[in-house]
Amino acid sequence: MAKSSKIRIFDTTLRDGEQTPGVSLTLEDKVQIANKLDELNVDVIEAGFPASSEGELKAVKRIVEEDLDIEVCGLARTKKEDVDSCLEADVDMIHTFVSTSDIQLKHTIEKSKEEVKKSVEDIVSYINSHNVRCLFSAMDATRTDQEFLKDIFSVAQKAGADAVNVPDTVGVVSPKEMEELIAKIDKAIDIPIDVHCHNDFGLAVANTLFGVEGGAQQVQVTINGVGERAGNASLQQTVMGLEYLFDKKTNINKKKLYETSKLVERLSGIQILPNEPFVGNNAFSHESGIHAQGVISDSKTFEPDMIEPKMIGHKRKLVPGKHMGKHSVKEILKNAGLEPNKEELKEILDRVKEIGDKGKRITEADLYTIAEVILGSEAEKLIDLEEIAVMTGNKVTPTASVEANVDGEKKRASKTGVGPVDAAIKATQSLVSNFPEIKLKSFKVEAITGGSDALAEIIIEVEDKQGRSVSAKSESEDIVKASVEALISGVNMLMAEKRREK
Ligand code: KIV
Ligand code: ZN
């Protein structure tokens, strides 16, 4: 790894990210994520820790076989057998690490500082003799005696390491301290420095950025900030911060940030918050009247002026809700082909606020329905639900049949699923398979009341091929019925928009 003007992005979603409590990726999941990281154009991926299990070795080998354009790295302790597993997987780079802080030396590896230095010298020379790039990490570096840290990095450099990594393993450093520490290490060695920050104090991204300010040339990050405990520095936030606030360049294909985040969210099962910077549902959404009015006129009024959502593959959205004003009602309805006059607009807005004040969520479908009633222009429904029947049990595969009037024709579809809701949603989707451009983008269940007769609220979002989306909801004590009704309502709204357009 030569010193370069661009900051190198080392993604460890598949290694530290997979160490997130509760996350367990299959081999296929890992290959899919590795390919997406290749499209995102990170510089290196840490594909896993081959010595940790047979399955892990197999997965790293498989990722290497994908023959991606990016470098593939494997993790190894300072043990020959770990390095041999990485060599067996045929990785481009080996990331070897050892504890260096007093507390970890005493309680985890039980070695003296001299023994640790010797193990680093031996293992780095061993890796070097196999013509593979070597990255050396001093685990718990930010709590390590700084003289010892510089010393051990010099040993690694002398033995042939291509770069050294400074992990803030327990996430306790502050941005200023990180900058100073990296600057000191940079003076002591000639090879590039990499930083790896954990988010225990919510400072992983800030510490990474200030590590770069101190002279780091590579950053270890994960998609959505997944990782041990509170996670690692988020790739998306770090890259955007580097490029737009710190005037640094990376090789990242930023248009792929949103879809990569969504893929990792889906496969890891770790849901990102709506207010997650850049990729969260609310990152470019506006509900309040003042903000929406400003954004309709010029998005820079209430968004960072150097960023457009499409730069990262996301979308701006005006969201209905009790804080909305007439400008956003008008704009949202205009997109649906509805143009209320001044009085009608006021009536619609009053109705929305009345519902919102009762603590109810308002989806786009609700807003359209209110507007249609007030305008007296109820669009003919494409789908009218007639009957749902589900069957489920211990030995029975959950199956659902849905009957509906679809565009004037009586239709019925039966599907199986992982549960009755999944089966019913699949059956409904197959009823509208004549309209393949519509897909279910999100599906959320919320219990409004408690108990086995709880009222469930289903909120869905459907999207057409042009990327236009509509949210809709339905409430019922019967979760299957509410799911199907919400989906049908969303599809009807989207199709009504299309029909009005025509
Ligand atoms: O947090 C950490 O110290 C690590 C090392 C393996 C770099 O993940
Ligand atoms: Zn870590």
Side-chain angles (χ1 to χ4, degrees):
M1 178 187 143
K3 288 205 172 183
S4 108
S5 59
K6 282 190 179 167
I7 302 302
R8 280 169 51 96
I9 305 298
F10 178 115
D11 181 279
T12 180
T13 304
L14 293 176
R15 200 278 298 168
D16 214 325
E18 216 220 354
Q19 287 171 221
T20 305
V23 172
S24 173
L25 299 168
T26 63
L27 191 142
E28 289 72 30
D29 293 343
K30 290 183 185 186
V31 171
Q32 217 180 322
I33 292 175
N35 276 284
K36 193 55 88 185
L37 292 168
D38 189 40
E39 288 173 28
L40 187 65
N41 208 26
V42 302
D43 296 281
V44 197
I45 56 168
E46 189 161 49
F49 187 178
S52 66
S53 73
E54 268 304 309
E56 189 79 354
L57 173 62
K58 205 166 140 198
V60 178
K61 269 187 183 167
R62 197 33 230 292
I63 290 169
V64 170
E65 281 161 16
E66 289 290 295
D67 206 14
L68 305 171
D69 288 334
I70 53 184
E71 283 178 62
V72 180
C73 174
L75 185 71
R77 290 166 295 183
T78 49
K79 291 176 185 250
K80 252 177 127 188
E81 59 269 30
D82 281 25
V83 169
D84 289 341
S85 292
C86 286
L87 293 171
E88 190 186 335
D90 201 19
V91 294
D92 306 301
M93 180 193 290
I94 297 177
H95 174 194
T96 184
F97 71 100
V98 68
S99 294
T100 51
S101 64
D102 289 343
I103 184 164
Q104 290 198 358
L105 288 180
K106 183 166 168 210
H107 295 287
T108 61
I109 56 172
E110 295 169 14
K111 276 190 179 158
S112 71
K113 287 181 175 163
E114 281 316 305
E115 284 170 321
V116 168
K117 272 205 297 198
K118 179 82 179 77
S119 76
V120 171
E121 186 182 354
D122 290 348
I123 209 75
V124 173
S125 308
Y126 183 63
I127 295 171
N128 218 21
S129 70
H130 286 87
N131 230 357
V132 187
R133 276 187 287 286
C134 172
L135 170 66
F136 166 67
S137 267
M139 186 148 82
D140 210 8
T142 53
R143 292 194 301 177
T144 297
D145 170 76
Q146 291 190 1
E147 285 314 306
F148 178 55
L149 192 61
K150 285 192 276 184
D151 218 15
I152 203 153
F153 282 153
S154 300
V155 169
Q157 171 173 281
K158 218 160 146 201
D162 295 280
V164 293
N165 173 242
V166 181
D168 182 27
T169 303
V170 295
V172 287
V173 81
S174 71
K176 192 164 173 282
E177 285 167 335
M178 191 63 164
E179 181 179 1
E180 287 168 3
L181 176 63
I182 301 299
K184 277 186 208 159
I185 298 169
D186 201 26
K187 277 200 188 121
I189 56 169
D190 300 320
I191 51 178
I193 303 170
D194 179 25
V195 288
H196 173 113
C197 300
H198 278 275
N199 206 27
D200 299 69
F201 273 80
L203 289 172
V205 173
N207 289 334
T208 304
L209 295 172
F210 277 84
V212 171
E213 283 293 275
Q217 302 229 312
Q218 181 169 279
V219 292
Q220 296 201 357
V221 287
T222 59
I223 298 296
N224 300 341
V226 289
E228 291 261 18
R229 306 182 309 282
N232 291 60
S234 132
L235 181 147
Q236 1 3 322
Q237 293 173 35
T238 304
V239 167
M240 296 302 276
L242 282 172
E243 298 216 358
Y244 295 101
L245 301 178
F246 286 75
D247 204 20
K248 302 279 190 233
K249 294 272 169 286
T250 70
N251 285 320
I252 294 296
N253 176 2
K254 294 187 283 298
K255 280 213 163 81
K256 296 274 172 187
L257 281 173
Y258 181 72
E259 62 181 72
T260 311
S261 161
K262 285 286 155 200
L263 179 75
V264 171
E265 179 181 41
R266 182 164 61 79
L267 297 181
S268 68
I270 303 289
Q271 282 218 327
I272 56 169
L273 291 170
N275 58 350
E276 172 79 16
F278 308 111
V279 292
N281 267 351
N282 294 350
F284 298 98
S285 291
H286 305 272
E287 182 187 313
S288 101
I290 298 169
H291 284 219
Q293 182 187 0
V295 167
I296 291 166
S297 159
D298 183 345
S299 64
K300 295 180 178 62
T301 48
F302 288 101
E303 282 177 14
D305 45 10
M306 58 288 232
I307 300 167
E308 271 294 317
K310 62 173 183 283
M311 284 162 52
I312 57 164
H314 202 350
K315 276 198 218 97
R316 177 173 300 115
K317 212 164 179 197
L318 298 175
V319 180
K322 74 169 191 178
H323 305 105
M324 75 193 307
K326 57 181 185 309
H327 289 91
S328 44
V329 174
K330 209 171 153 187
E331 190 72 15
I332 296 174
L333 293 180
K334 192 169 91 190
N335 292 338
L338 296 166
E339 294 194 26
N341 63 30
K342 219 167 146 193
E343 288 73 39
E344 289 164 340
L345 195 60
K346 183 173 177 316
E347 221 181 307
I348 295 167
L349 193 57
D350 287 348
R351 182 77 191 107
V352 167
K353 290 193 183 271
E354 200 185 301
I355 299 172
D357 281 341
K358 286 187 186 142
K360 296 229 179 240
R361 187 187 313 231
I362 297 140
T363 62
E364 278 144 346
D366 296 330
L367 180 64
Y368 297 164
T369 307
I370 295 167
E372 282 179 342
V373 170
I374 290 171
L375 298 181
S377 70
E378 273 181 78
E380 211 184 298
K381 287 192 175 70
L382 175 76
I383 318 168
D384 226 344
L385 178 64
E386 295 196 341
E387 193 54 87
I388 313 169
V390 289
M391 193 170 60
T392 188
N394 260 353
K395 293 182 184 150
V396 184
T397 310
T399 309
S401 297
V402 177
E403 208 173 283
N405 196 306
V406 182
D407 214 8
E409 223 185 293
K410 204 179 178 99
K411 285 194 174 180
R412 166 193 275 272
S414 294
K415 290 277 165 200
T416 56
V418 293
V421 171
D422 185 43
I425 288 288
K426 284 183 176 144
T428 314
Q429 280 179 305
S430 84
L431 281 182
V432 289
S433 56
N434 279 353
F435 314 98
E437 65 267 37
I438 296 179
K439 67 169 199 261
L440 182 63
K441 203 176 157 203
S442 73
F443 179 95
K444 249 192 262 161
V445 187
E446 270 166 34
I448 300 177
T449 54
S452 59
D453 60 350
L455 192 60
E457 183 177 60
I458 307 291
I459 303 133
I460 59 103
E461 201 177 348
V462 282
E463 189 178 55
D464 68 10
K465 239 184 177 163
Q466 289 71 42
R468 230 166 15 176
S469 63
V470 166
S471 54
K473 72 169 182 341
S474 179
E475 286 172 13
S476 173
E477 286 87 359
D478 179 339
I479 191 170
V480 177
K481 188 164 156 259
S483 306
V484 171
E485 282 175 352
L487 177 59
I488 288 181
S489 158
V491 173
N492 277 334
M493 288 300 159
L494 211 49
M495 290 311 290
E497 275 187 38
K498 283 180 182 293
R499 289 174 170 197
R500 277 192 206 102
E501 251 174 27
K502 276 184 194 159

